[in-house]
């Protein structure tokens, strides 16, 4: 397993790639303006971090990412609670690190290299249209496991996503335990969708023109995508993060039982083949 440095990666999330999550999160209404040909398709691609451009020269007609997106948000140990906010939820996801190939100013190909457990933590707040504002509020607002797994043929079919909240010594299931291949769009279908959104997504409603951001950033060759959050358990729907909680997201193979996974979490042990992300919530 590998530790991936994301500081030179453009990072994104996929909204609405797991049936029912947007409704649970109270976000579905925001996406009504976005028309999709396939009702099962994800709704939008949103940025969480765009590395600052190394080229200071202005690019005429290209809109740079908002400055807050140039702040590196990933931390594998902690989540810093955003000041003035109250409702913060784990977003348990699988994330993929891609090699990106550009041609004539467009993204031509995405080659998956590594995957791992991701926490695309989100603020639940009304009146904020752009998704990115609710995702990156500064350092330690996102998480990706330090145990990333190399992509090999057929490997995704063997993995599941689980998430937990450890509070006052008690472990609560936060998201529904779900197979990785349970995403609405996955594999080639997701890859094709991503290429289309990276090249053609418009600034409309909660969505942003991410192609401009990437061009301004100098066409990054590493792109990280959190593929989408699973549905919440009954506990996860009703319980928001508090200081002192441990937020846990795990990607584990079907050779590992759920009981062994939970013993691993409680015992603090590392198991080969399990990508685990455990973050302490701090004020």
């Amino acid at each position: 397993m590998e530790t991936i440095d994301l500081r030179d990666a453009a990072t994104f999330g996929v909204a609405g790639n797991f049936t029912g999550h947007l409704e649970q999160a109270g976000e579905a209404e925001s996406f009504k303006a976005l028309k999709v040909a396939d009702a099962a398709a994800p709704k939008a691609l949103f940025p969480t971090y765009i590395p600052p451009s190394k080229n200071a020269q202005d690019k005429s007609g290209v809109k740079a990412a908002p400055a807050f997106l140039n702040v590196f948000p990933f931390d594998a140990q902690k989540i810093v609670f955003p000041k003035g906010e109250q409702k913060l939820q784990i977003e348990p996801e699988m994330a993929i690190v891609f090699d990106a190939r550009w041609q004539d100013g467009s993204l031509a190909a995405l080659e998956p290299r590594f995957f791992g457990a991701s926490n695309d933590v989100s603020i639940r707040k009304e009146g904020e249209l752009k998704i990115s504002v609710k995702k990156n509020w500064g350092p330690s607002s996102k998480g990706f496991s330090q145990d990333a797994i190399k992509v090999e043929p057929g490997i995704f079919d063997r993995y599941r996503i689980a998430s937990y909240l450890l509070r006052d010594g008690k472990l609560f299931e936060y998201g529904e335990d779900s197979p990785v291949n349970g995403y609405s769009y996955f594999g080639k279908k997701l890859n094709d969708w991503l290429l289309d959104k990276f090249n053609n997504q418009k600034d409309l409603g909660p969505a942003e023109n991410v192609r401009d951001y990437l061009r301004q950033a100098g066409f990054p060759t590493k792109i990280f995508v959190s593929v989408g959050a699973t549905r919440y358990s009954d506990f996860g729907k009703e319980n928001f993060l508090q200081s002192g909680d441990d937020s846990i997201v795990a990607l584990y193979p079907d050779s590992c039982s759920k009981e062994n996974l939970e013993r691993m979490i409680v015992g603090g042990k590392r198991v080969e083949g399990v990508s685990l992300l455990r973050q302490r919530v701090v004020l």
Side-chain angles (χ1 to χ4, degrees), residues 210-227:
V210 293
R211 181 185 179 187
D212 272 4
Y213 295 175
L214 292 171
R215 291 173 67 192
Q216 184 69 28
F219 307 106
T221 56
K222 185 192 296 180
I223 291 180
F224 166 100
V225 180
S226 277
V227 177

Side-chain angles (χ1 to χ4, degrees), residues 35-48:
K35 305 299 181 184
V36 293
D38 177 7
K43 301 301 183 285
L45 183 68
F46 57 86
T48 52

